[in-house]
Amino acid sequence: MAVITLDSKNFEEVVLQSRTPVLIDFWATWCGPCRMMTPVVDDIAESMRSEIKVCKVDIDQNPDLAEKYGVMSIPTFVVIKEGKETARAVGVTAREDLVKMI
């Protein structure tokens, strides 16, 4: 499954109503570390597509979602299971550590 772009309109359906775990990457186009993590996030989305959903939130386009989840620094990675946050990592994070969160 490809990475899903989230916004306020599809967040509840894609994330909160999901039966599978969701990894959300809060990022911005101007953020160098965020761009560094893009291939890692894309790889997780591809290699684990049958187990999880991988989503991205552009904090400049969706400041309400960033605020709702208390995102202070980017990239921030949040795992949501059954509508609740179960794990979080901030900054450049190893692929293995992101997978362990899921």
Side-chain angles (χ1 to χ4, degrees):
M1 176 183 293
V3 174
I4 301 166
T5 300
L6 293 175
D7 58 30
S8 298
K9 296 178 186 115
N10 69 355
F11 190 85
E12 182 169 342
E13 178 185 345
V14 174
V15 177
L16 301 180
Q17 295 177 8
S18 178
R19 296 184 190 274
T20 58
V22 181
L23 173 65
I24 305 171
D25 175 8
F26 288 89
W27 74 293
T29 56
W30 49 262
C31 169
C34 299
R35 289 195 311 269
M36 271 179 40
M37 290 301 298
T38 296
V40 175
V41 172
D42 291 346
D43 179 60
I44 291 171
E46 181 61 32
S47 64
M48 298 183 72
R49 67 178 172 262
S50 62
E51 302 164 57
I52 65 165
K53 289 182 186 176
V54 177
C55 303
K56 291 182 86 109
V57 173
D58 183 329
I59 64 161
D60 291 330
Q61 302 290 324
N62 301 282
D64 55 322
L65 291 175
E67 183 178 330
K68 178 179 179 178
Y69 281 89
V71 174
M72 300 293 195
S73 299
I74 53 174
T76 292
F77 303 95
V78 176
V79 176
I80 306 285
K81 294 179 183 175
E82 298 177 5
K84 296 186 176 28
E85 181 177 333
T86 60
R88 176 181 292 238
V90 178
V92 173
T93 306
R95 182 190 190 284
E96 301 79 36
D97 293 336
L98 290 175
V99 170
K100 284 180 195 171
M101 289 174 28
I102 302 163

